[in-house]
């Protein structure tokens, strides 16, 4: 409708007599009473342009179903009636357009209000992004900047090169695998053997009895209560919602599969196939893979099984003194708040007492990708975790394949050479166990500790 108003405005201007005076430099100003004084050849030349507008005007009239007849040519005798018709039509269409536009604007505002109220309940992230005028950032892998084997910077939009470099980057982002032969305690350096030796740990095997109990429907039901819906599925496209709506008999079949995975020490090959979805870090990715953070999308049945084992593992770690006291950030009932508060209090104590204090910070880049499965096995044996569960964890992270998600589909799959999955729910807790050896060694270096004491005051 806006195009119709614009067309009528152009025709209205075309019928303005002052344009004849300007174009042909007449020595008088034409008016309705003097238009017959315009030379005929000038009139005919100017109003030949009417034929340019007439077909478009007829389309406009047909579209709006208006029964108005316009002349095939504009002459001094029909000029006034034609001009009045066009002017009246212009004002009618302009009023209709304004009414339609106001209604459209009102409907749009109402829809945004409804959407805002809906986001307030169901999509708070979208609401906050809208309030902060923050647009979600996405990575489109259609161009790439990288350093080639010669050390030169290369920029390309060649899909084959992008595919090759992306696979090479994520396959080797943690560096080459450790080629050292690490099979048992004797393979370790002497100063680390005692820290890995499970015979020297004051840990009882019965603390892990709940880990090897058969999985039941009650275990699965308790996991369902903790699930967050609308999570991205793995390659099979099976979602949490799909499984929660299964019949109880079907769920019992799934539980049999779960128990078989543990007792038979086998993980389905399809569960070892995952998707990588790339998201940017806090800064723009600038076509560099080093500025991306891959999220691993795993199969949902696998995640349910691991969730059940994780729950049991967490219960044992929170109930018994298995991990070092300062290494419980992901344990049930613990967080990073406790060590941060201790550090803050020590800094404040050193400032008040004017004592020296040294704090070492370690920035662990791609920590999960650097996990050596052979060392993970020894780290899991140290707290006397049952062998059947250790084998289950190791099977999760061996013979794996990933595919990178792009806007044009999936890249070819590639073998994952080392590390544990970023998207696996048990990975943070496995990292605690894997890294507990360092905390154990540090805690034994008593000569390097910062010492303080407090007197407990008794109530009178």
């Amino acid at each position: 409708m806006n195009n119709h108003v614009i067309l009528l405005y152009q025709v209205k201007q075309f019928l303005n007599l002052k344009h004849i005076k300007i174009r042909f430099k007449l020595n008088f100003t034409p008016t309705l009473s003097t238009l017959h004084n315009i030379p005929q050849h000038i009139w005919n030349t100017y109003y030949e342009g009417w034929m340019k507008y007439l077909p478009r005007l007829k389309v406009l009239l047909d579209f709006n179903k208006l029964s108005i007849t316009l002349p095939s040519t504009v002459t001094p005798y029909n000029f006034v009636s034609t001009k009045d018709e066009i002017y009246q039509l212009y004002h009618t269409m302009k009023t209709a357009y304004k009414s339609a536009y106001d209604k459209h604007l009102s409907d749009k505002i109402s829809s945004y209000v409804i959407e805002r109220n809906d986001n307030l309940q169901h999509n708070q992230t979208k609401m906050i992004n809208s309030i902060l005028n923050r647009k979600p950032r996405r990575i489109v892998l259609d161009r790439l900047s990288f350093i080639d084997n010669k050390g030169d910077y290369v920029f390309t939009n060649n899909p084959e090169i992008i595919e090759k470099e992306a696979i090479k980057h994520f396959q080797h982002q943690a560096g080459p695998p450790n080629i050292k032969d690490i099979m048992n305690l004797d393979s370790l350096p002497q100063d680390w053997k005692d820290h890995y030796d499970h015979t020297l740990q004051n840990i009882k095997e019965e603390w892990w009895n709940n880990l090897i109990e058969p999985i039941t429907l009650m275990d699965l039901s308790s996991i369902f209560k903790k699930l967050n819906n609308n999570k991205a599925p793995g390659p099979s496209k099976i979602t949490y919602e799909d499984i929660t709506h299964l019949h109880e008999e079907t769920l019992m079949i799934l539980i049999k599969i779960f128990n078989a995975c543990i007792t038979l020490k086998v993980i389905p090959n399809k569960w070892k196939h995952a998707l990588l979805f790339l998201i940017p870090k806090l800064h723009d990715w600038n076509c560099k893979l080093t500025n991306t953070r891959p999220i691993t999308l795993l199969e949902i049945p696998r995640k349910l099984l691991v969730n059940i084992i994780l729950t049991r593992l967490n219960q044992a770690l929170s109930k018994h003194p298995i991990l070092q006291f300062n290494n419980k950030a992901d344990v049930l009932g613990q967080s990073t708040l406790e060590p941060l508060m201790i550090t803050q209090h020590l800094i404040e104590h050193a400032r008040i007492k004017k004592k020296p204090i040294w704090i070492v910070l370690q920035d662990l880049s791609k920590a999960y990708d650097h996990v050596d499965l052979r060392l993970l096995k020894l780290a899991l044996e140290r707290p006397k975790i049952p062998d059947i569960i250790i084998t289950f964890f190791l099977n999760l992270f061996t013979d794996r394949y990933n595919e990178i998600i792009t806007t044009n589909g999936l890249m070819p799959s590639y073998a994952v050479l080392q590390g544990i999955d970023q998207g696996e729910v048990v990975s943070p807790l496995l990292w605690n166990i894997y890294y507990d050896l360092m905390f154990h060694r540090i805690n034994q270096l008593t000569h390097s500790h910062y010492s303080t004491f407090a007197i407990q005051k008794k109530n009178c």
Side-chain angles (χ1 to χ4, degrees):
M1 187 176 288
N2 187 38
N3 292 335
H4 294 171
V5 175
I6 293 174
L7 171 63
L8 290 170
Y9 178 80
Q10 292 172 345
V11 176
K12 188 166 74 78
Q13 292 297 312
F14 173 74
L15 294 175
N16 194 327
L17 292 174
K18 70 177 181 181
H19 293 292
I20 297 182
K21 177 184 178 181
I22 295 172
R23 179 176 173 181
F24 294 98
K25 300 179 180 179
L26 299 178
N27 55 7
F28 67 97
T29 301
T31 63
L32 294 179
S33 59
T34 61
L35 60 87
H36 290 280
N37 296 333
I38 300 174
Q40 189 64 37
H41 68 280
I42 291 178
W43 182 277
N44 293 339
T45 301
Y46 181 78
Y47 283 105
E48 282 178 357
W50 174 253
M51 297 304 300
K52 179 180 69 173
Y53 293 108
L54 188 59
R56 296 166 63 190
L57 288 171
K58 289 182 177 179
V59 172
L60 183 153
L61 295 173
D62 292 340
F63 181 84
N64 292 280
K65 299 179 180 180
L66 298 174
S67 57
I68 297 175
T69 303
L70 295 174
S72 57
T73 58
V74 178
T75 66
Y77 300 100
N78 63 15
F79 176 80
V80 174
S81 60
T82 302
K83 182 179 178 181
D84 290 344
E85 200 75 67
I86 293 298
Y87 272 52
Q88 184 178 354
L89 184 59
Y90 169 74
H91 290 296
T92 301
M93 293 299 297
K94 186 177 179 181
T95 302
Y97 169 74
K98 187 178 183 307
S99 176
Y101 178 78
D102 290 343
K103 183 179 183 304
H104 167 75
L105 196 61
S106 177
D107 292 344
K108 197 171 183 180
I109 292 173
S110 298
S111 68
Y112 282 135
V113 170
I114 294 171
E115 182 182 6
R116 183 194 63 186
N117 294 336
D118 183 66
N119 289 338
L120 182 61
Q121 278 189 312
H122 304 107
N123 195 344
Q124 288 87 358
T125 300
K126 186 175 181 180
M127 183 195 71
I128 293 172
N129 286 340
S130 176
I131 292 173
L132 298 179
N133 197 23
R134 187 171 61 192
K135 295 182 179 179
R137 297 180 299 136
R138 301 181 183 277
I139 290 177
V140 180
L141 207 57
D142 59 352
R143 62 202 70 181
L144 196 62
S145 175
F146 63 97
I147 300 177
D148 63 10
N149 296 331
K150 299 178 182 179
D152 298 329
Y153 281 94
V154 177
F155 181 83
T156 182
N157 59 0
N158 186 315
E160 295 181 359
I161 297 177
I162 292 174
E163 180 181 290
K164 177 183 175 182
E165 290 298 321
I167 291 176
K168 183 173 75 172
H169 172 81
F170 290 109
Q171 195 172 35
H172 301 280
Q173 61 180 337
N178 190 349
I179 60 174
K180 292 182 180 179
D181 186 17
I182 304 174
M183 300 302 297
N184 48 45
L185 292 179
D186 295 332
S187 309
L188 299 174
Q190 187 62 40
D191 52 348
W192 280 102
K193 285 183 180 180
D194 290 345
H195 301 287
Y196 276 93
D197 192 349
H198 66 277
T199 62
L200 301 178
Q201 311 305 319
N202 188 23
I203 298 174
K204 299 178 181 180
E205 293 183 1
E206 57 263 27
W207 290 352
W208 303 109
N209 286 342
N210 67 327
L211 270 179
I212 55 178
E213 292 178 356
I215 296 172
T216 65
L217 184 60
M218 186 177 297
D219 293 322
L220 187 57
S221 299
S222 65
I223 296 300
F224 285 161
K225 296 176 183 179
K226 303 176 185 178
L227 296 179
N228 293 322
N229 293 329
N230 302 318
K231 288 289 186 179
S236 69
K237 303 294 190 293
I238 297 175
T239 65
Y240 281 132
E241 293 88 337
D242 294 333
I243 296 182
T244 55
H245 288 91
L246 292 177
H247 190 271
E248 184 175 316
E249 293 181 1
T250 309
L251 292 177
M252 289 304 299
I253 296 174
L254 184 60
I255 289 171
K256 288 182 179 180
I257 295 174
F258 287 171
N259 285 314
C261 289
I262 298 173
T263 56
L264 300 179
K265 302 179 181 180
V266 174
I267 300 293
N269 290 332
K270 293 292 185 180
W271 290 9
K272 296 186 177 185
H273 180 200
L275 303 177
L276 279 191
F277 181 75
L278 307 184
I279 62 174
K281 295 183 178 179
L282 294 179
H283 48 276
D284 290 334
W285 80 293
N286 293 326
C287 303
K288 296 179 180 178
L289 292 172
T290 52
N291 293 334
T292 65
R293 186 161 66 91
I295 299 298
T296 308
L297 305 180
L298 302 168
E299 288 292 0
I300 297 300
R302 162 186 165 149
K303 294 179 72 173
L304 288 172
L305 171 58
V306 176
N307 249 308
I308 294 172
I309 302 300
L310 168 66
T311 302
R312 296 179 174 185
L313 183 66
N314 224 332
Q315 289 171 350
L317 292 176
S318 61
K319 187 177 180 180
H320 305 292
I322 298 171
L323 295 178
Q324 297 297 298
F325 73 93
N326 49 353
N327 181 33
K328 295 188 176 184
D330 203 59
V331 178
L332 188 66
Q334 300 288 326
S335 69
T336 56
L337 177 62
E338 290 82 8
L340 288 174
M341 288 183 63
I342 293 173
T343 304
Q344 177 61 35
H345 291 160
L346 291 177
I347 293 173
E348 189 67 16
H349 183 273
R351 184 185 66 82
I352 294 173
K353 299 297 183 180
K354 301 188 184 320
K355 293 174 62 177
I357 181 172
W358 294 86
I359 298 176
V360 178
L361 301 177
Q362 186 177 20
D363 183 13
L364 297 173
S365 175
K366 299 179 176 63
Y368 292 172
D369 296 315
H370 283 92
V371 172
D372 189 310
L373 295 185
R374 297 166 299 177
L375 287 176
L376 177 62
K377 179 177 181 294
L378 296 177
L380 292 170
E381 290 174 349
R382 172 179 169 268
K384 303 176 183 177
I385 293 176
D387 290 340
I388 196 171
I389 300 300
I390 294 176
T391 303
F392 168 75
F393 285 138
L394 296 178
N395 282 340
L396 284 177
F397 304 117
T398 54
D399 300 325
R400 295 173 294 148
Y401 290 86
N402 285 350
E403 287 181 292
I404 303 171
I405 300 174
T406 69
T407 52
N408 297 321
L410 299 176
M411 290 187 178
S413 61
Y414 64 90
V416 181
L417 303 181
Q418 63 177 338
I420 58 180
D421 290 316
Q422 179 80 26
E424 186 56 84
V425 290
V426 78
S427 291
L429 212 53
L430 290 181
W431 174 259
N432 279 38
I433 298 173
Y434 184 78
Y435 220 56
D436 198 58
L437 285 301
M438 190 196 72
F439 284 93
H440 183 264
R441 184 169 183 177
I442 290 175
N443 290 339
Q444 289 186 350
L445 301 176
T446 55
H447 63 280
S448 300
H449 290 182
Y450 182 90
S451 300
T452 182
F453 66 91
I455 299 175
Q456 184 176 2
K457 293 183 178 182
K458 296 183 179 180
N459 294 331
C460 299

